[in-house]
Amino acid sequence: MKIGFIGSGNVGQTLGHVLVEQGHDVKLGARQPAKLTNWKKSLENSGLASVGTYQEAAEHGELVINATPGVASLEVLQLIGQKSLAGKILIDVALPLEFTNGELRLSIAPNDSLGEQIQQAFPETKVVKTLNTVTSALMINPLNLAEGQHDTFIGGNDTEAKNKVSEYLRQWFGWKNIIDLGDISSARATEGLLLLTSRIYGALGHSNFNLKVIR
Amino acid sequence: MKIGFIGSGNVGQTLGHVLVEQGHDVKLGARQPAKLTNWKKSLENSGLASVGTYQEAAEHGELVINATPGVASLEVLQLIGQKSLAGKILIDVALPLEFTNGELRLSIAPNDSLGEQIQQAFPETKVVKTLNTVTSALMINPLNLAEGQHDTFIGGNDTEAKNKVSEYLRQWFGWKNIIDLGDISSARATEGLLLLTSRIYGALGHSNFNLKVIR
């Protein structure tokens, strides 16, 4: 599948790498694509890894993944514009966090969310919020923790899009438990979870953890 | 132990009942104590259950538990005043939630919390935020779900107070896993979790669930 990443930081590079290895045709979109030489080189034998502008990555993808820092996401997506994203599924893994005086804060919460703002700004795009509650290492390798017996969440307004993305998460990364929280406003819940996971990180001293809903 | 409840709704009555059964001298404080006749009657053989004003309950308790609706907590506590709560541990299980147009909202979030506001208003009281992420049924009976293999969180500025309250949770209710999230500002994380748990409730269709940190 042709997949375009908006954003080329840790999350974009990590997910992009795995997806190339699985045979997908991946373009990482960046503000300065020239800085991604190392990423591209490490995958050059595949012939499936390319880099480009945000716009080029969006146009490349049948499926597009927003992996920009959440505080910049809307601005970047609006530069790309409606047309390149219309009719497509946009998987949004971004978190609208910022540090103020050394303190972690959510820039959009609790009664709104980045997922909703993107969906509202791009009504012809099917925004699916998922994976945004775990580290990139866990995103691509949930089986590395407790044999995958923990949960990720998914939210979005389009049920078919959520079903497709859930299937991708199973096939690509091996996610076993994907809990559908409803429409895109559930992004308030999953983005807000950062307040808890950052505290748990502080309590445990490492980030190799995830939540499981015991029922 | 003499325990005073500020608030006499479902949470206060449920926890109060169990604590009387365990031999504690419990006073439920309410705006209209006369309405608690049934609760008091159901426990009258014990000789340990009483009702009174908020003020009387606060003065009664060596340990005080805030079980008021979160949107009213500060107002009620300020009516009681500093003196009756000074030097005491105040376990805060309240949630600052409100419904606006049928939509659940957090009235204090994400960069502040009820726990912090109470601690700030009552500097001589040791505020400990805990149990506020589960239903009252689970608060008092964690063993009823997966043999207690799930987590509650605790936060507060006074380590000794947190240790005491953790011991109470183990002794009174059988909590096995209590994760210390740090100072009282961690109440942002646990109060905010309501956004997620309300969504999970919607997805599962029942409230007999809790989170476990898989690590």
Side-chain angles (χ1 to χ4, degrees):
Chain A
M1 193 191 309
K2 287 185 165 187
I3 301 174
F5 277 85
I6 314 302
S8 60
N10 170 43
V11 173
Q13 290 193 29
T14 303
L15 272 68
H17 191 102
V18 170
L19 292 174
V20 167
E21 287 182 331
Q22 296 191 9
H24 297 287
D25 180 353
V26 172
K27 190 183 284 288
L28 284 199
R31 203 176 291 275
Q32 297 175 285
K35 288 194 173 170
L36 295 170
T37 313
N38 286 343
W39 181 84
K40 195 177 152 192
K41 253 194 176 161
S42 71
L43 292 161
E44 69 185 347
N45 290 336
S46 69
L48 292 168
S50 61
V51 299
T53 63
Y54 292 132
Q55 178 86 43
E56 288 165 348
E59 284 172 7
H60 173 83
E62 304 158 62
L63 174 73
V64 181
I65 299 177
N66 174 34
T68 51
V71 289
S73 294
L74 264 176
E75 188 193 329
V76 169
L77 291 168
Q78 272 157 349
L79 282 173
I80 293 170
Q82 301 275 351
K83 205 177 144 208
S84 309
L85 293 166
K88 296 179 182 177
I89 292 175
L90 177 71
I91 300 179
D92 176 28
V93 302
L95 285 175
L97 65 91
E98 57 191 7
F99 286 90
T100 307
N101 302 324
E103 192 181 63
L104 175 73
R105 288 173 174 256
L106 290 170
S107 61
I108 312 167
N111 299 315
D112 196 3
S113 63
L114 178 62
E116 284 166 277
Q117 291 189 353
I118 294 175
Q119 182 62 82
Q120 189 164 25
F122 293 83
E124 291 173 58
T125 302
K126 296 157 192 167
V127 179
V128 176
K129 191 101 201 182
T130 191
L131 292 184
N132 57 312
T133 57
V134 296
T135 61
S136 59
L138 271 175
M139 287 180 188
I140 61 163
N141 198 356
L143 299 176
N144 201 31
L145 175 66
E147 296 175 342
Q149 292 305 326
H150 47 92
D151 301 332
T152 191
F153 303 102
I154 195 165
N157 296 343
D158 188 296
T159 300
E160 195 188 329
K162 281 191 289 189
N163 289 342
K164 275 187 189 171
V165 172
S166 296
E167 195 51 39
Y168 299 151
L169 298 190
R170 288 186 200 99
Q171 287 178 4
W172 294 347
F173 308 129
W175 278 97
K176 292 178 177 174
N177 304 330
I178 303 161
I179 299 179
D180 185 347
L181 296 181
D183 67 18
I184 191 65
S185 72
S186 64
R188 299 175 194 182
T190 55
E191 292 174 12
L193 197 54
L194 185 71
L195 294 174
L196 181 66
T197 52
S198 61
R199 286 282 175 165
I200 295 172
Y201 172 75
L204 301 185
H206 66 82
S207 64
N208 191 33
F209 68 87
N210 191 17
L211 296 173
K212 180 174 171 59
V213 179
I214 308 293
R215 38 183 137 163
Chain B
M1 193 192 309
K2 285 185 165 186
I3 301 174
F5 278 87
I6 314 302
S8 59
N10 168 44
V11 173
Q13 291 193 26
T14 302
L15 271 69
H17 190 103
V18 170
L19 293 174
V20 167
E21 287 182 333
Q22 296 191 8
H24 296 287
D25 180 351
V26 173
K27 191 184 282 290
L28 284 200
R31 204 176 290 275
Q32 298 175 285
K35 288 195 172 169
L36 295 172
T37 313
N38 286 341
W39 181 83
K40 196 177 151 192
K41 253 195 176 161
S42 71
L43 293 161
E44 69 185 345
N45 290 335
S46 69
L48 292 168
S50 61
V51 300
T53 63
Y54 293 131
Q55 178 86 41
E56 288 165 347
E59 284 172 7
H60 173 85
E62 304 159 62
L63 175 73
V64 181
I65 299 178
N66 175 34
T68 51
V71 289
S73 294
L74 264 177
E75 188 193 331
V76 168
L77 291 168
Q78 273 158 346
L79 282 173
I80 293 170
Q82 301 274 350
K83 206 177 144 208
S84 309
L85 293 165
K88 296 180 182 176
I89 293 175
L90 177 71
I91 300 180
D92 176 28
V93 302
L95 285 174
L97 65 91
E98 58 191 6
F99 286 89
T100 306
N101 302 324
E103 192 180 63
L104 174 75
R105 287 171 175 258
L106 290 170
S107 60
I108 313 167
N111 299 316
D112 196 2
S113 63
L114 178 62
E116 284 165 278
Q117 291 189 353
I118 295 175
Q119 183 60 82
Q120 190 164 25
F122 293 83
E124 291 174 59
T125 302
K126 296 157 190 166
V127 179
V128 176
K129 192 99 200 183
T130 191
L131 292 184
N132 57 312
T133 57
V134 295
T135 62
S136 58
L138 270 175
M139 287 180 188
I140 60 162
N141 198 356
L143 298 177
N144 201 31
L145 175 67
E147 298 174 340
Q149 291 306 326
H150 47 92
D151 301 332
T152 192
F153 304 102
I154 195 164
N157 295 344
D158 188 295
T159 301
E160 194 188 330
K162 282 191 289 189
N163 289 343
K164 276 188 187 170
V165 172
S166 297
E167 195 51 39
Y168 298 152
L169 298 189
R170 288 186 199 99
Q171 287 178 3
W172 294 346
F173 308 130
W175 278 96
K176 292 178 177 174
N177 305 330
I178 303 162
I179 299 179
D180 186 347
L181 296 180
D183 67 17
I184 192 63
S185 72
S186 64
R188 299 176 194 181
T190 55
E191 293 174 11
L193 197 54
L194 184 71
L195 294 173
L196 182 66
T197 52
S198 62
R199 286 284 176 165
I200 295 172
Y201 172 75
L204 301 184
H206 66 82
S207 64
N208 190 33
F209 68 87
N210 191 18
L211 296 173
K212 181 174 170 60
V213 179
I214 308 294
R215 37 183 137 163

